Amino acid sequence: MQDHPELEAGLAEYLYEREQEEYKSRTFPIIDTSTNTSGALSCLKGKGVDTIIRYYCRDPKGAWKIIRRPEAEKITDNGMNLCAVYEVSAKANYFSEASGLLDGKYACTYATKVIGQPKGSAIYFAIDFDATIQEIKDRVIPYFKGITQEVTKAGSPYRIGVYGSGLTCKRLLDLGLVEFAWLAQSTDWAGYKSFKASNQWALLQKPTVETCDIEVDFDEASVEDFGAFSKLNAVKAEDAEDLELSYGTFSALDGLDAGFKAKLQLLIQTCAAKKIKMVPYFGLRSPAEQAKLWRQSREPAEIAAGVKKLRDNGAPWLADLLENTTAPKDKHVTNALPGLSWHQWGEAMDCYRSISGHANWEEKNYYDYANIAECDVIGLTAGGHWAKLKDWPHVQLRKADGPQNVYSYPTIDAKMKAMWDTSDIAPEISSMEKTAAHQYVAADLVSAVVSTLRAAAAEPFDEESHYFFPKGIFKIDVSVGILADAPNNEDGAAATPLLQARVSVSGIDKE
């Protein structure tokens, strides 16, 4: 089984049943949920719920969980309070100052122009993973500095909160980067017990349950004012439409490394603010596509030498791929063998300059784009600044020319096979573009779920230790589906479908 820490976490000690017993004698007036509550408001209110925490998110792939104006109106019209939490990713590599700038700006704009969230209320930003001290230092703190910068630039309309582990919450409070801390329900995350005992939290999350036919987490508040709001300001429908367009995505961004994608989006927005329109057109590229591009300008002897180089250096899967690939003769476009381009890792992108609605390839029109890409906040590497074989449309996450300068060939081969090999996936899935399967490899994920559940069910039950699966499995739902196509790219390229697996175990959702 491949490493899936989000699934292994289910085997950690978790006071689930003990918390469930507490619900029989107590009710909590605050809930958070990723589900639209419009049809459940009467039921929830009847059960004593007076505050609902709902999501904001700028990534279209998170659109299923976000609150929109009609739902917000129904909540407040029912005399209930709203509170906002913002989340795009639960992966450490997503978080940086660049993603903080993007999220801070979007959260303020969405709150003001779409929801009508009043000034002085709060937006919590989720750090939904067990961040280490180093990850907090290198990623989470810069992320919140970016958020703070954008909220300040907007006139400080909202107070900033954090959702996360005890360690994350305490560190950000100590630094003064947040006003509110919301302690996540995961009792095995760093600093949980000590932060809970400190009573520095404004909100304390309880385990997931089903009530009024929707899944919710109950939450406990330690303070009366934790940033909720009961009234909405007026908004204009056209503002919401403009926001959707300004943050529109391109199909070329599908499957990119989360951290790289955020930096790239900030690059495109920064260029746009300077009247430089950059359109991403070539991002994630499979090793098979790379093999075709590499072969198309080379003679048989050179191709044989490339196959031998990969095989001799310990990359047999890539060697076989190159050897068995065919390509018609065409111009020379790349020096990178399959697997040796950052495009195969989702860490590179080519963008063209759009002038008067047409792609422009003149070198002089890419100078500013390359300089902005390498500014301190964005921190990408621009191909236009390379000493040899300048590639002006190209930007990438790392400074190293290619993976071979970072990893050994056997490591590259194993990584590429894990990301791209579809030979062990059901035919109906393997027939799809591997771009679609790259990030959500369904067979691997479902296999990991099954293995984890088997291991959990085999755990001996000890009355003193309340494991997540103490007396068998309560409920498991595993679904794999194809997401709807995103809008076509500006260049007319069709959107790439994405596989998504959703796992619900005893009411705990993991995606």
Side-chain angles (χ1 to χ4, degrees):
M1 182 181 72
Q2 292 188 24
D3 183 24
H4 285 274
E6 73 277 15
L7 301 175
E8 299 295 340
L11 302 181
E13 183 178 344
Y14 196 81
L15 308 182
Y16 191 85
E17 279 200 336
R18 190 178 300 172
E19 295 273 10
Q20 288 284 60
E21 287 298 317
E22 187 176 9
Y23 295 154
K24 296 178 181 179
S25 58
R26 289 188 62 187
T27 59
F28 297 91
I30 306 167
I31 64 166
D32 69 85
T33 180
S34 59
T35 304
N36 188 315
T37 61
S38 297
L41 292 175
S42 296
C43 176
L44 291 170
K45 192 171 183 179
K47 289 181 178 291
V49 174
D50 64 23
T51 302
I52 299 174
I53 306 174
R54 292 284 281 117
Y55 285 88
Y56 297 164
C57 178
R58 67 175 172 79
D59 191 332
K61 292 183 178 62
W64 61 273
K65 67 181 179 181
I66 67 174
I67 186 171
R68 300 185 184 277
R69 176 72 181 201
E71 182 190 355
E73 290 176 343
K74 289 179 181 178
I75 292 172
T76 55
D77 287 348
N78 271 272
M80 304 171 80
N81 300 319
L82 255 176
C83 192
V85 58
Y86 184 98
E87 181 178 18
V88 169
S89 176
K91 295 182 178 180
N93 68 342
Y94 168 78
F95 296 92
S96 65
E97 185 178 354
S99 57
L101 291 169
L102 280 172
D103 291 350
K105 181 178 180 179
Y106 186 89
C108 285
T109 306
Y110 191 85
T112 302
K113 294 190 174 184
V114 179
I115 299 300
Q117 180 174 335
K119 292 183 178 181
S121 53
I123 301 176
Y124 290 78
F125 292 83
I127 306 297
D128 198 7
F129 65 97
D130 190 11
T132 64
I133 292 175
Q134 197 63 43
E135 287 170 336
I136 292 172
K137 177 184 176 183
D138 294 344
R139 295 191 172 277
V140 177
I141 290 174
Y143 176 70
F144 275 86
K145 287 182 177 179
I147 290 170
T148 300
Q149 182 177 325
E150 285 298 332
V151 173
T152 301
K153 187 186 296 184
S156 300
Y158 304 113
R159 294 180 285 175
I160 300 172
V162 60
Y163 167 94
S165 70
L167 182 63
T168 298
C169 290
K170 177 172 174 51
R171 184 63 177 143
L172 293 176
L173 280 173
D174 288 348
L175 291 172
L177 288 171
V178 299
E179 183 175 342
F180 300 112
W182 178 9
L183 181 58
Q185 64 177 258
S186 300
T187 60
D188 59 318
W189 283 6
Y192 179 90
K193 291 181 180 178
S194 59
F195 190 73
K196 181 181 178 182
S198 74
N199 287 323
Q200 288 182 282
W201 46 270
L203 291 169
L204 175 67
Q205 189 180 51
K206 306 294 183 177
T208 303
V209 296
E210 186 172 301
T211 187
C212 299
D213 296 326
I214 62 173
E215 287 187 348
V216 307
D217 302 313
F218 282 107
D219 297 276
E220 181 180 351
S222 67
V223 293
E224 184 175 348
D225 177 14
F226 52 87
F229 51 98
S230 59
K231 295 182 179 180
L232 303 177
N233 295 328
V235 297
K236 298 177 181 178
E238 57 266 30
D239 285 343
E241 294 173 2
D242 289 344
L243 182 64
E244 294 279 348
L245 290 172
S246 65
Y247 278 82
T249 61
F250 300 89
S251 61
L253 302 183
D254 290 347
L256 295 180
D257 171 88
F260 173 60
K261 181 177 178 179
K263 289 174 179 286
L264 182 63
Q265 288 172 314
L266 184 60
L267 168 61
I268 293 170
Q269 286 190 13
T270 304
C271 286
K274 296 178 179 293
K275 309 299 182 184
I276 301 168
K277 186 175 182 179
M278 302 303 303
V279 179
Y281 70 95
F282 212 153
L284 187 67
R285 180 192 297 155
S286 71
E289 292 172 307
Q290 186 70 28
K292 289 179 181 178
L293 291 175
W294 187 86
R295 284 186 64 127
Q296 71 184 23
S297 63
R298 288 170 170 84
E299 298 301 323
E302 192 174 359
I303 293 171
V307 171
K308 185 176 187 301
K309 178 180 179 179
L310 289 171
R311 203 178 305 282
D312 290 349
N313 280 284
W317 186 80
L318 289 170
D320 290 344
L321 183 71
L322 180 60
E323 188 172 35
N324 295 320
T325 296
T326 59
K329 282 292 184 181
D330 206 337
K331 64 181 179 181
H332 179 88
V333 294
T334 181
N335 288 328
L337 288 163
L340 306 189
S341 163
W342 289 120
H343 281 285
Q344 278 91 83
W345 299 62
E347 296 184 14
M349 174 61 70
D350 296 333
C351 298
Y352 67 78
R353 175 80 182 268
S354 178
I355 299 178
S356 300
H358 300 283
N360 184 287
W361 304 99
E362 291 184 68
E363 179 183 311
K364 65 180 182 180
N365 289 317
Y366 289 78
Y367 295 159
D368 288 338
Y369 161 71
N371 290 334
I372 294 169
E374 294 193 346
C375 72
D376 290 341
V377 172
I378 298 175
L380 297 177
T381 296
H385 291 164
W386 288 340
K388 298 179 180 178
L389 195 63
K390 292 182 182 295
D391 188 353
W392 287 101
H394 181 92
V395 291
Q396 63 185 46
L397 182 62
R398 312 198 203 198
K399 292 186 180 299
D401 289 345
Q404 71 276 15
N405 295 315
V406 179
Y407 304 107
S408 68
Y409 275 80
T411 298
I412 293 171
D413 197 63
K415 176 69 173 179
M416 290 294 96
K417 186 178 182 191
M419 284 181 65
W420 295 100
D421 186 13
T422 59
S423 60
D424 58 348
I425 297 178
E428 63 271 17
I429 295 176
S430 60
S431 65
M432 296 175 58
E433 286 287 338
K434 185 58 190 179
T435 300
H438 139 265
Q439 196 170 6
Y440 306 98
V441 181
D444 173 49
L445 179 56
V446 173
S447 174
V449 172
V450 172
S451 299
T452 303
L453 296 179
R454 285 175 177 167
E459 285 287 318
F461 175 62
D462 182 347
E463 289 289 349
E464 299 298 319
S465 63
H466 294 279
Y467 282 91
F468 189 73
F469 296 105
K471 295 180 180 177
I473 297 167
F474 301 112
K475 177 185 176 183
I476 306 169
D477 290 314
V478 180
S479 60
V480 180
I482 302 174
L483 296 179
D485 284 351
N488 283 350
N489 196 344
E490 183 172 327
D491 62 359
T496 302
L498 283 177
L499 289 179
Q500 186 174 65
R502 179 177 176 82
V503 184
S504 176
V505 181
S506 291
I508 303 299
D509 279 342
K510 295 292 180 186
E511 278 201 28

